[in-house]
Amino acid sequence: MAPSLPQFSAARMRSYIFRLPLFTRSIIAVIILLWVVGIQSAWNVRKWGALIPDEIGLGTMYRTNTFPLVHNGFLHAFMNILALTPLLERFEAEYGTLTTLALFVGPLSTIPALMYTFIERGVLHMNNRVLGASIWVFTLLAMEAVKTYRSNPHFLLGTTQVPTWITPFVLALFVTFLIPNTSFLGHMCGLAFGYGWGLGYLKFLAPPEWILRWIEGKLNLLGRLPHYVSVDQKTYGRFGVLPTTNVSNNGFNSVIFLAIVLVQRYSIYRRLGLYNRIGLPLSSSSLLRRDPRLLKVPPYLSFLCIVIGVAWLLVLPLDNYSRKTYISENALLPGQVHTYFAGSDQNVFGGYKREVDALEEKGNIEVNDKLEEFFKASGLKVARQKYEYKSAGETYSGENIYAILHAPRGDATEAIVLVGAWRNVDGVLNRSGVALVLTLARYFKRWSLWSKDIIFLVTPDSRAGPQAWVDAYHDTHQSPAIESLPLKSGALQGAVVIDYPFDHRFESIHIVYDGINGQLPNLDLLNTVVSIASGQMGIGASLQQMWLHSDSYKERLQTMLRGMLNQGLGHASGPHSSFIPYHVDAITLQPYGDGWQDEMAMGRVIESTFRSLNNLLEHLHQSFFFYLLMQANRFVSIGTYLPSAMLVAVNFTIMAIFLWVKSGSPANPATRVAAEREKSPKLAIISEGDAKAIVPEELLGVRERQLFMPLAVVAGSQFLGVLPLYLFNHTSEYMLSSVFYIFTVVNSVFPAIVSIAIVRYFKPTNQQYQLIKAFSLLLLGMFLSSLATLNFSLAFLVGLFSAPLTYVQSFPDRPIITTLLVLLLSLLAPTTVLLAGTNYWKLSVTEVLKEAAFGWDVWGMNTQVVVWCVWWPAWLVGMILLFGKPREETKEELKVAI
């Protein structure tokens, strides 16, 4: 049976830390000490120790040695320590403590620092300061890359051979693009020194060995200093080069000698159960992928991806990772015009509001008759549209009414929409909102400055009506349930929705911007409204129901997470959401609070916004469509936040590839009988260029994989996701709750039933279970990485809930562990998460499922597809693996194909 997946071992980690050599421990201690000292404000440690090109002189040369030891903050120091420790430990074990001390205190820090200073100050005429141990990390990586290149010159990327020595350079590019405020030039200087050392051009900088031995002997350093690495304790010789033998065509004796050594070492390792620990200076991917040390890395790397992905998200609200908003489209000119909506228009507004109050209890048709009179009295063309939707056994019907103001200076090729739903998303009469739409229609008609048509739309509700109108405007509606529009204008450039249900004065404006399926309007539209409201009108602006925002880290994070939750749910948050899928930038404005701002102030905000949109020469496109807002004037763009979801998604792909390689690896020799382990291995000759070597055949082979059953299980689980997707989108409202609870009960026992059936009829081996998990995680990683570019929040949330699936495996002999893991996965099931969410927000299951069905039928919401066809199948496979009982593999199944 193949070995189980490596688990995190605190004992091994503790042992590794306690075995760190002396200089490595000292460097870590100094970095931590300087970070702690840097917390106080009396002495600026960063300013004292950073490498600042313009300040380098004879009196400040110490900066060329101190800059790798000081860091910007805890996360900066922690990540550099995490990357530096294994590389520095390996370097010190190879060269000794004295050599490492001399190099890192001297040329290994000073030369890259002087290179950076010369290029930055002398060539580029700039003065960017650098600090942090990442320059050491890239120097050591370059040294390791040269060593790797000598033994393994290429790795395959598809069918292309990529030189292994370029990997540190590629990593430097990734770090520059993905992590803000990193110095690409500084990293290049470190790489230059590392490559020079690795190629042997700079090794003359190392102190002579006879001096090291003399110092060690005189001072008795090995006896006095714990964890000291002396010259005689180094593992790879003076400069890490083992004696080699050149093999030529007539070098038969060398080949025989090498074969004898390999066979002897191979036999010893097999007796000890340490399979395939022979290292060869040859380029062989077959040998590399079976190195047991390499096969232990992916689980830890996968866990590290999850941790870094979550940590990445948590640091986004910090000033170093977020930016202040700005207007990218210069033509908008927000707040640059004088607004005239005041005076007698307030009396007009009061009259319209009394008319709206009188129509509160009237029917939709009677209300539209009165509204049509008001629009025609203002000199506008008026039209109506009837619609009817059916969802969850209910019918949603009504009649939209809209009026078009044709631009005196336009040609009817572009239009802006002002929407006032009769009832808002909470079902409350939008009395002041509709009255303001009517007043602005009358007010805008008097002006001759408009270059774009203006459409005034009043819908009976905020859910079905706007969607029906937008669909019909773009001719994507379903006739005859939804009527076509008798009147149209040009391409819609933007839309503003007024949600103003009360009649008292307000304090600030709440901006709602979330669209269907996580889509967002162009950031310039939000920035324009915020600039006009706060800058021109003196009205505060808030987001995500964060009424009192003090701009602290906690409130920034809370605002961002609320936005992520709304984006992840993918539902419509207002009438504006129906416009965004058609690339019409739209927002909803909601006055809130008790203050001194009145309806005239709200009207002036809308007037100034429409004047800015009227200036546009083309559709909004220069600013961001993918962003996370953490305050009205602070945001994070996709290039900064996307890596967090990608890291969570890539952890599944890493484990899938790891399991695929593991499933084809020869079985663990510890599971074989002693007589078989004692047999001499069959040998094979491998060659590359002029070099040849004799190795055991088993090292070059791959076990045959049994693919049918794993593919069938994973494919079946994916297709089963269609069942709940169809069930919850086509069930009547009064049955939704019962159907959901029945499905929840069945869902809790179904994985065990499927697992028992698989064990009984297919008798899967451990290899097949590995392949089941590999295919499932591969699909999950592929789906989430693709989804992250469309709906970042949904991909991140699903990836986080699915993270435990990475480490799920069967424990047939450990029922307690299996039970605990089953309980954990049951708590993370989609059904359980749905129940927990409804209880937390005090909603009913019927209400949530009804909203989801409405979104599926009316808005085209696809959140259900991700939940039931991506998340749930992966969870189902994870539960099947937990209940699995792998059988022992036969000798035929253990055979290795060469």
Side-chain angles (χ1 to χ4, degrees), residues 382-405:
V382 185
R384 300 190 187 187
Q385 176 212 21
K386 291 183 179 180
Y387 64 88
E388 180 179 300
Y389 289 107
K390 292 183 178 180
S391 177
E394 287 195 5
T395 300
Y396 302 85
S397 59
E399 184 184 62
N400 296 320
I401 183 171
Y402 63 101
I404 299 179
L405 168 61

Side-chain angles (χ1 to χ4, degrees), residues 745-760 769 818 822 826 875-885:
V745 173
V746 173
N747 189 53
S748 62
V749 299
F750 180 67
I753 296 173
V754 174
S755 182
I756 292 172
I758 291 174
V759 171
R760 179 176 180 181
Y769 277 117
T818 300
V822 167
S826 298
W875 175 87
L876 178 61
V877 170
M879 291 291 286
I880 291 173
L881 290 173
L882 273 181
F883 289 111
K885 294 181 179 179

Side-chain angles (χ1 to χ4, degrees), residues 862-873:
N862 56 28
T863 307
Q864 302 97 311
V865 178
V866 177
V867 171
W868 299 118
C869 296
V870 176
W871 180 13
W872 184 74

Side-chain angles (χ1 to χ4, degrees), residues 77-399:
F78 175 75
M79 297 305 298
N80 277 345
I81 289 175
L82 201 64
L84 178 65
T85 300
L87 295 168
L88 185 56
E89 180 266 340
R90 181 180 176 90
F91 186 89
E92 185 175 357
E94 179 177 349
Y95 293 102
T97 300
L98 274 184
T99 304
T100 307
L101 174 64
L103 289 172
F104 276 81
V105 173
L108 205 145
S109 299
T110 305
I111 293 178
L114 293 177
M115 291 170 57
Y116 175 82
T117 302
F118 172 75
I119 298 174
E120 185 78 4
R121 187 168 70 180
V123 178
L124 302 179
H125 302 290
M126 299 175 68
N127 188 37
N128 294 317
R129 75 169 190 174
V130 292
L131 69 166
S134 60
I135 192 169
W136 282 348
V137 172
F138 281 97
T139 299
L140 294 172
L141 282 175
M143 297 178 187
E144 293 294 329
V146 174
K147 290 182 187 176
T148 305
Y149 180 75
R150 287 171 175 165
S151 61
N152 189 20
H154 304 91
F155 65 89
L156 291 178
L157 191 62
T159 58
T160 304
Q161 286 189 338
V162 181
T164 52
W165 64 267
I166 70 168
T167 50
F169 180 75
V170 175
L171 180 61
L173 290 175
F174 271 100
V175 169
T176 302
F177 290 133
L178 297 182
I179 303 178
N181 301 324
T182 55
S183 174
F184 178 72
L185 177 59
H187 293 162
M188 287 299 101
C189 293
L191 285 178
F193 187 92
Y195 283 128
W197 180 275
L199 295 172
Y201 299 123
L202 300 177
K203 288 188 176 180
F204 67 90
L205 297 172
E209 187 170 326
W210 66 270
I211 294 180
L212 300 179
R213 293 183 182 275
W214 184 81
I215 295 175
E216 286 181 357
K218 285 293 183 181
L219 300 179
N220 192 21
L221 297 179
L222 187 59
R224 293 180 177 180
L225 299 178
H227 307 288
Y228 176 82
V229 182
S230 73
V231 178
D232 295 326
Q233 282 184 324
K234 294 182 297 181
T235 56
Y236 301 113
R238 183 68 186 94
F239 290 109
V241 181
L242 285 172
T244 58
T245 302
N246 293 327
V247 181
S248 59
N249 292 332
N250 56 2
F252 181 74
N253 293 333
S254 299
V255 174
I256 295 300
F257 173 76
L258 179 59
I260 293 173
V261 172
L262 289 174
V263 171
Q264 287 177 346
R265 293 182 62 187
Y266 183 72
S267 300
I268 292 171
Y269 281 123
R270 290 192 51 167
R271 291 190 184 98
L272 294 176
L274 304 174
Y275 175 73
N276 193 20
R277 291 206 176 183
I278 300 173
L280 294 175
L282 292 172
S283 173
S284 175
S285 59
S286 297
L287 297 178
L288 182 62
R289 70 180 180 185
R290 284 174 176 75
D291 190 335
R293 293 168 296 181
L294 186 63
L295 290 179
K296 291 179 181 179
V297 172
Y300 299 106
L301 181 60
S302 178
F303 178 74
L304 188 63
C305 287
I306 299 173
V307 173
I308 295 177
V310 175
W312 195 297
L313 187 75
L314 296 179
V315 302
L316 292 179
L318 299 175
D319 289 338
N320 292 335
Y321 298 91
S322 57
R323 291 187 280 173
K324 289 187 176 181
T325 56
Y326 55 91
I327 301 293
S328 299
E329 180 56 71
N330 294 326
L332 285 170
L333 300 173
Q336 300 300 309
V337 298
H338 183 75
T339 54
Y340 299 93
F341 186 70
S344 61
D345 295 306
Q346 188 164 14
N347 297 326
V348 176
F349 172 83
Y352 279 136
K353 189 168 68 172
R354 286 189 291 272
E355 292 289 347
V356 171
D357 290 337
L359 295 171
E360 181 174 4
E361 303 299 329
K362 303 297 183 181
N364 185 202
I365 302 300
E366 191 172 352
V367 168
N368 285 351
D369 290 340
K370 197 68 175 177
L371 294 178
E372 185 174 0
E373 292 180 14
F374 296 149
F375 282 130
K376 286 184 176 180
S378 299
L380 305 176
K381 295 181 179 180
V382 185
R384 300 190 187 187
Q385 176 212 21
K386 291 183 179 180
Y387 64 88
E388 180 179 300
Y389 289 107
K390 292 183 178 180
S391 177
E394 287 195 5
T395 300
Y396 302 85
S397 59
E399 184 184 62

Side-chain angles (χ1 to χ4, degrees), residues 511-834:
I511 304 175
V512 185
Y513 57 91
D514 308 289
I516 299 168
N517 295 323
Q519 294 174 291
L520 302 173
N522 190 274
L523 188 57
D524 266 347
L525 180 59
L526 276 85
N527 295 339
T528 299
V529 174
V530 171
S531 176
I532 291 170
S534 59
Q536 184 181 12
M537 306 298 173
I539 304 174
S542 64
L543 310 170
Q544 303 299 339
Q545 298 182 0
M546 294 292 294
W547 312 122
L548 298 175
H549 202 299
S550 61
D551 199 26
S552 64
Y553 170 83
K554 179 181 178 181
E555 293 183 345
R556 285 185 184 181
L557 180 63
Q558 190 175 355
T559 305
M560 183 183 71
L561 293 179
R562 286 187 179 186
M564 287 180 58
L565 183 61
N566 285 328
Q567 185 185 29
L569 292 175
H571 67 111
S573 55
H576 69 279
S577 300
S578 300
F579 289 83
I580 297 177
Y582 290 97
H583 199 41
V584 179
D585 304 302
I587 55 173
T588 294
L589 303 182
Q590 298 175 332
Y592 74 90
D594 293 316
W596 58 276
Q597 305 290 350
D598 61 1
E599 58 276 355
M600 292 295 102
M602 184 70 181
R604 286 192 292 272
V605 170
I606 296 172
E607 178 191 358
S608 186
T609 301
F610 271 60
R611 293 281 295 276
S612 292
L613 294 176
N614 189 61
N615 294 336
L616 287 176
L617 300 177
E618 53 187 337
H619 202 90
L620 288 174
H621 68 283
Q622 291 196 22
S623 191
F624 298 94
F625 287 96
F626 299 93
Y627 50 85
L628 293 177
L629 285 168
M630 48 198 65
Q631 197 189 14
N633 58 0
R634 199 159 198 92
F635 78 106
V636 177
S637 65
I638 184 172
T640 306
Y641 69 71
L642 185 62
S644 59
M646 286 297 187
L647 284 169
V648 174
V650 82
N651 103 86
F652 301 113
T653 306
I654 290 172
M655 284 299 292
I657 297 173
F658 163 67
L659 289 166
W660 173 261
V661 174
K662 196 175 184 66
S663 66
S665 301
N668 185 1
T671 63
R672 303 183 183 180
V673 296
E676 186 181 351
R677 292 203 302 268
E678 293 296 331
K679 294 180 181 178
S680 297
K682 295 181 180 180
L683 301 179
I685 297 178
I686 60 175
S687 62
E688 181 169 322
D690 294 332
K692 295 184 179 180
I694 299 178
V695 298
E697 280 188 353
E698 196 169 353
L699 290 178
L700 304 176
V702 178
R703 268 202 306 165
E704 183 179 357
R705 297 180 176 92
Q706 306 295 327
L707 298 179
F708 174 75
M709 195 275 291
L711 287 173
V713 172
V714 174
S717 301
Q718 293 296 139
F719 284 114
L720 278 176
V722 178
L723 178 62
L725 178 66
Y726 179 85
L727 194 64
F728 295 126
N729 287 331
H730 295 82
T731 302
S732 299
E733 178 186 2
Y734 69 93
M735 292 182 62
L736 274 174
S737 179
S738 301
V739 170
F740 176 78
Y741 286 116
I742 292 172
F743 178 81
T744 302
V745 173
V746 173
N747 189 53
S748 62
V749 299
F750 180 67
I753 296 173
V754 174
S755 182
I756 292 172
I758 291 174
V759 171
R760 179 176 180 181
Y761 294 106
F762 294 96
K763 297 180 176 59
T765 62
N766 191 67
Q767 182 202 57
Q768 290 174 313
Y769 277 117
Q770 289 175 349
L771 289 171
I772 291 174
K773 183 178 176 181
F775 293 145
S776 178
L777 293 181
L778 186 64
L779 286 176
L780 183 61
M782 179 182 66
F783 289 144
L784 293 183
S785 57
S786 302
L787 179 64
T789 59
L790 303 174
N791 191 337
F792 161 81
S793 303
L794 182 59
F796 184 84
L797 294 173
V798 172
L800 210 56
F801 282 120
S802 304
L805 299 177
T806 305
Y807 301 97
V808 165
Q809 64 180 31
S810 60
F811 295 94
D813 300 327
R814 299 179 180 179
I816 297 178
I817 294 179
T818 300
T819 304
L820 292 176
L821 290 176
V822 167
L823 290 176
L824 174 63
L825 278 193
S826 298
L827 291 175
L828 296 177
T831 50
T832 310
V833 173
L834 177 59

Side-chain angles (χ1 to χ4, degrees), residues 3-20 25 85 89 274 277 291-300 658 662:
S4 60
L5 297 181
Q7 304 294 324
F8 174 78
S9 173
R12 293 178 60 188
M13 178 62 70
R14 179 174 176 272
S15 174
Y16 175 77
I17 294 174
F18 284 171
R19 287 187 291 104
L20 289 176
R25 290 166 175 255
T85 300
E89 180 266 340
L274 304 174
R277 291 206 176 183
D291 190 335
R293 293 168 296 181
L294 186 63
L295 290 179
K296 291 179 181 179
V297 172
Y300 299 106
F658 163 67
K662 196 175 184 66

